[in-house]
Amino acid sequence: MASRAKATILDIARAAGVSKSTVSLVLQGSGLIRPDTAAKVRKAIEDVGYVYNRGAANLRKAHSNVIGMVINDLTNPFFAELAVGMERVFQSAGIVPFIANTAENPVRQEEVLKSLMEQGVAGLIVSPARGSTPDAFRRLEAAGVPVVFAMRRLPESRIPVIAPDNHRGAFLATRHLIGKGHRRLAFFGGSADLVVYHERLGGFREACETLGIAPADVLVFEGETSRKGGIACLEAALALAEPPTAALCFNDAVAFGAMLALRKRGLEPGSDFAVVGFDDVVEAEHYMPALTSVAVDTPGLGERAAHVVLKMIQSRTTRAEDHIGAVNLVVRESCGPDRSQEVRRAAMGGVA
Amino acid sequence: MASRAKATILDIARAAGVSKSTVSLVLQGSGLIRPDTAAKVRKAIEDVGYVYNRGAANLRKAHSNVIGMVINDLTNPFFAELAVGMERVFQSAGIVPFIANTAENPVRQEEVLKSLMEQGVAGLIVSPARGSTPDAFRRLEAAGVPVVFAMRRLPESRIPVIAPDNHRGAFLATRHLIGKGHRRLAFFGGSADLVVYHERLGGFREACETLGIAPADVLVFEGETSRKGGIACLEAALALAEPPTAALCFNDAVAFGAMLALRKRGLEPGSDFAVVGFDDVVEAEHYMPALTSVAVDTPGLGERAAHVVLKMIQSRTTRAEDHIGAVNLVVRESCGPDRSQEVRRAAMGGVA
DNA sequence: GCCTATAAATGGAACGTTCCAATAAATCAA
DNA sequence: TTGATTTATTGGAACGTTCCATTTATAGGC
């Protein structure tokens, strides 16, 4: 109800006693119109309850100010943190980004991208769904829409990437475990269809190799990148005749799963089996025991991605430099028998 | 680069040797055109790399198929779960919803709503930011845009609400605590500017009253609805000369905070102090100890909200019935000294 | 006062679709 | 064959903006 025919620019022109062009100018904040005329127009807008039709405007302008964020898994707090970082910069640029979730499903991703294109997005930040191919983004490139990948990259794609230094992060974490005296190490979770997996696994392997772990003592367990996957990996590892004593996990969710499974078997994460996570989500420091993890500054990467896409839009290009973010290992309580070296962050700090 | 002038319906008409009207019909899947003509057109679309301009279409149609989900805090897994439920039904309806985050900020919410309206949304699901007034939604109503509130309601607004039975949930939880022998009870977190707060607190109070707790023994601590808030509430409570022995928390985040603070003081949640949460997010069962919480079927409520808004759009109305979802208490390990009655859900079940 | 320069406001065409009314083509009845 | 009916296709006028080229008002200089 009350759905009277929507007011247009013409209605408010009539109400204010000016021409539609004048109204349009006012709407765009042009300095060309006299302040009192502008005021008159603005009042009419208010009175009539006019709402701007961006679709009509874009028809003429061919440059919308819509930016889309395509996220592969919104329920993973890690990606929610990423989204929050991006929003921060978009908000201060006065633009409202639209978030869409692909739920790690390439088919859904295709739908989402199509819909966003039809909507005429000016630019896109995408954390691609697992198993998506460069093909899915061909269309975007053809249309000249600026796209940046966040956190994940695709094999052989020319789209710029904003991601942490996965290789180095994994290397640091592994070196730490070895430094604690562990000699038989596992890598938990992830699967080969993710480029990130190879990067992290690569860092793990390099550390093992250069620091003198025998090839037979480096164990790799693929699995889901979730708590569930972590549980499964741990079970598999402990079923071995000669189980590992420490694990680097693909991400924090996997690490949480592994710790859970340890507890269920009556083992204490940290002293009985060392666990290191990756990403350092806010829960990591609140877990029991607090999780040692590779911090990647997720919101910071989100901000960076937002800046890059903004700049790409502005300079009408579809290319940009990759950005590899610095990482650092945050040592807490979940690894190594040596409990004297605990590092604690203030318990109040983690509520974003 | 490659940003050649975008192909329009006319270009593909030319390429296929038909009229633009025919192309339009094909695009809409009209059965009026001969199958071989349609095929010809579709091929041209593919060849040219045409992308549909929904803005232009909406100009004519005045009925977009865009639905917006306005969420007050995306980093709270609870709301992410809600969003996931909604997405499920939208996906099967073939529509891509756009999510926008207000970060619990009424000003940002205003921007978001404005932007969504300008985009010509067909309908909206909103979990309003704390402290937002019905005024913020007046404009939507005037424009005849169907809106439903999810999880939260506004005082004196005629917009339909999909929410759990907060009063009953709080009542059940409180009764459980009293049944465990607790005689001095606290309510932790939340603040009076949230209708939900009054509902939950109301249930708590009613249970205390009808089950014979002396008014002097019911303690209320307002606070942030986050882990941080829970920590603060617990500190305040234990600072009392005669502290409570159990607390019902506004939500699970507050409960996690409270448990954290207990641990930090060397107290064991469950045996030394009983804690009950609200919402039953997936982490609740994975916490140490597993959190007793009021389950509200968040994704289910999301689905329901999506269905309602879809029906409203279809029947061109802006009114609908409220829906109050059933709740039930999931008893785990975080409350009462009686540890023999643990209820455990399968550890594998929680990964959405 | 007149001419010029500047400032402010305006009409009209275009943007890419949809949809109605109209035409063209195919089918059928006689 | 012709006319009537059905089936496919099409031109043209909208939809609500923007922006260019104009027009009109205002001010300055002499």
Side-chain angles (χ1 to χ4, degrees):
Chain A
M1 33 211 90
S3 179
R4 48 179 152 264
K6 284 188 181 68
T8 97
I9 215 183
L10 272 142
D11 296 317
I12 85 118
R14 208 168 302 128
V18 298
S19 80
K20 63 176 173 40
S21 304
T22 304
V23 177
S24 175
L25 261 352
V26 172
L27 252 14
Q28 296 169 77
S30 161
L32 281 181
I33 34 74
R34 230 168 32 201
D36 55 334
T37 317
K40 207 166 52 181
V41 170
R42 262 186 276 269
K43 176 165 184 332
I45 288 180
E46 202 55 42
D47 291 347
V48 180
Y50 162 80
V51 351
Y52 183 71
N53 185 331
R54 204 167 283 279
N58 288 342
L59 198 50
R60 204 56 245 271
K61 294 204 295 189
H63 245 77
S64 81
N65 69 336
V66 180
I67 295 189
M69 309 177 6
V70 179
I71 297 286
N72 59 301
D73 181 8
L74 219 47
T75 62
N76 186 334
F78 171 66
F79 289 105
E81 284 174 37
L82 182 71
V84 165
M86 301 187 205
E87 286 229 318
R88 227 180 348 240
V89 357
F90 287 135
Q91 172 160 20
S92 64
I95 99 160
V96 175
F98 292 126
I99 306 171
N101 185 22
T102 62
E104 211 68 278
N105 174 351
V107 176
R108 179 60 169 170
Q109 178 173 265
E110 203 89 34
E111 291 171 14
V112 164
L113 292 177
K114 178 151 173 264
S115 174
L116 252 2
M117 285 194 73
E118 293 182 354
Q119 225 61 236
V121 286
L124 238 40
I125 298 177
V126 182
S127 171
R130 158 186 331 199
S132 44
T133 64
D135 228 63
F137 300 91
R138 200 91 60 201
R139 188 140 307 179
L140 264 332
E141 288 191 273
V145 178
V147 179
V148 350
F149 284 148
M151 310 313 296
R152 293 180 173 183
R153 81 179 64 229
L154 254 43
E156 51 192 283
S157 159
R158 313 225 73 204
I159 293 174
V161 180
I162 312 297
D165 191 341
N166 289 308
H167 187 96
R168 178 157 175 77
F171 182 91
L172 290 177
T174 310
R175 189 175 66 185
H176 176 74
L177 287 171
I178 295 173
K180 288 277 184 185
H182 295 280
R183 287 291 171 271
R184 191 164 166 80
L185 309 176
F187 188 91
F188 279 178
S191 53
D193 56 355
L194 243 32
V195 176
V196 179
Y197 176 75
H198 292 108
E199 295 173 348
R200 295 187 178 175
L201 184 57
F204 172 73
R205 286 216 149 102
E206 185 185 325
C208 289
E209 228 162 273
T210 62
L211 298 172
I213 301 298
D217 285 330
V218 349
L219 277 13
V220 175
F221 299 86
E222 284 200 21
E224 288 187 33
T225 60
S226 59
R227 247 187 280 252
K228 191 170 157 186
I231 295 172
C233 286
L234 188 108
E235 306 279 334
L238 294 197
L240 254 42
E242 215 176 325
T245 64
L248 171 59
C249 298
F250 176 78
N251 65 15
D252 287 345
V254 171
F256 293 147
M259 294 205 287
L260 224 53
L262 283 167
R263 275 275 167 77
K264 199 162 294 154
R265 290 175 158 254
L267 297 173
E268 180 64 20
S271 42
D272 298 328
F273 189 103
V275 176
V276 182
F278 212 112
D279 293 343
D280 193 31
V281 300
V282 297
E283 280 106 319
E285 72 172 311
H286 294 313
Y287 235 73
M288 294 309 262
L291 179 68
T292 293
S293 186
V294 178
V296 301
D297 185 18
T298 315
L301 289 172
E303 285 182 28
R304 167 66 65 142
H307 277 126
V308 170
V309 81
L310 245 25
K311 186 163 300 164
M312 287 168 81
I313 291 170
Q314 194 195 332
S315 54
R316 312 190 132 57
T317 174
T318 165
R319 315 294 339 273
E321 304 250 301
D322 288 1
H323 171 83
I324 304 304
V327 298
N328 68 296
L329 184 68
V330 179
V331 178
R332 297 203 184 86
E333 306 159 0
S334 68
C335 69
D338 184 355
R339 283 177 156 263
S340 66
Q341 296 183 231
E342 292 173 7
V343 170
R344 283 176 164 271
R345 296 200 291 192
M348 311 294 293
V351 185
Chain B
M1 38 207 83
S3 180
R4 46 178 153 264
K6 283 188 183 68
T8 100
I9 216 183
L10 271 141
D11 296 318
I12 86 117
R14 208 168 303 127
V18 297
S19 80
K20 63 177 173 38
S21 304
T22 304
V23 177
S24 175
L25 260 353
V26 172
L27 250 15
Q28 297 169 77
S30 161
L32 282 181
I33 33 74
R34 231 168 31 200
D36 57 331
T37 316
K40 206 166 52 181
V41 170
R42 262 186 276 269
K43 176 163 186 333
I45 289 180
E46 203 55 42
D47 291 348
V48 179
Y50 162 80
V51 350
Y52 183 71
N53 184 332
R54 206 168 281 279
N58 288 342
L59 198 50
R60 209 49 247 274
K61 293 204 296 189
H63 244 77
S64 80
N65 68 338
V66 180
I67 295 189
M69 309 178 6
V70 179
I71 297 286
N72 59 301
D73 181 8
L74 219 48
T75 62
N76 185 333
F78 172 65
F79 290 105
E81 285 175 35
L82 182 70
V84 164
M86 301 186 205
E87 286 229 319
R88 225 180 347 237
V89 357
F90 287 135
Q91 172 161 17
S92 64
I95 99 161
V96 176
F98 292 125
I99 305 171
N101 185 22
T102 62
E104 212 66 279
N105 175 351
V107 176
R108 180 60 170 169
Q109 178 174 264
E110 203 88 34
E111 292 172 14
V112 165
L113 292 177
K114 177 149 174 266
S115 174
L116 251 2
M117 286 193 72
E118 294 181 353
Q119 223 63 236
V121 286
L124 238 39
I125 298 177
V126 182
S127 172
R130 157 182 336 194
S132 44
T133 64
D135 228 61
F137 299 92
R138 199 91 62 202
R139 187 139 306 179
L140 263 332
E141 288 190 272
V145 178
V147 179
V148 349
F149 284 149
M151 310 315 294
R152 293 180 172 183
R153 80 180 65 229
L154 253 44
E156 52 191 282
S157 160
R158 315 225 70 205
I159 293 175
V161 180
I162 313 297
D165 191 340
N166 289 308
H167 186 96
R168 178 158 176 75
F171 182 90
L172 290 176
T174 310
R175 189 175 66 185
H176 177 74
L177 287 172
I178 295 172
K180 288 276 185 187
H182 295 282
R183 287 291 169 271
R184 191 164 165 82
L185 309 177
F187 188 91
F188 279 178
S191 53
D193 57 354
L194 241 33
V195 176
V196 178
Y197 176 75
H198 293 108
E199 295 172 350
R200 295 186 179 175
L201 184 57
F204 172 73
R205 285 216 149 101
E206 186 186 323
C208 289
E209 228 163 89
T210 62
L211 297 173
I213 301 298
D217 286 331
V218 349
L219 278 13
V220 175
F221 299 85
E222 284 199 21
E224 287 187 32
T225 60
S226 59
R227 247 185 281 251
K228 192 169 156 186
I231 294 172
C233 285
L234 188 108
E235 306 278 335
L238 294 196
L240 255 40
E242 214 178 326
T245 64
L248 171 59
C249 298
F250 176 78
N251 67 14
D252 287 345
V254 171
F256 293 147
M259 295 205 288
L260 224 52
L262 283 167
R263 274 276 168 76
K264 199 161 294 155
R265 289 174 158 254
L267 297 173
E268 179 64 20
S271 40
D272 297 328
F273 189 102
V275 176
V276 182
F278 211 112
D279 294 342
D280 192 32
V281 301
V282 299
E283 279 107 320
E285 72 171 313
H286 294 312
Y287 235 72
M288 293 309 259
L291 178 66
T292 294
S293 186
V294 178
V296 302
D297 185 18
T298 315
L301 289 172
E303 285 183 26
R304 167 65 64 141
H307 278 126
V308 170
V309 80
L310 245 24
K311 188 163 299 166
M312 287 167 82
I313 291 170
Q314 194 194 333
S315 55
R316 314 190 130 56
T317 174
T318 164
R319 314 296 339 274
E321 304 250 300
D322 287 2
H323 171 83
I324 304 303
V327 299
N328 70 296
L329 184 69
V330 179
V331 178
R332 298 202 184 86
E333 305 159 2
S334 69
C335 69
D338 183 357
R339 282 176 158 263
S340 65
Q341 297 182 230
E342 293 173 6
V343 170
R344 282 176 165 271
R345 297 198 291 190
M348 310 294 290
V351 185

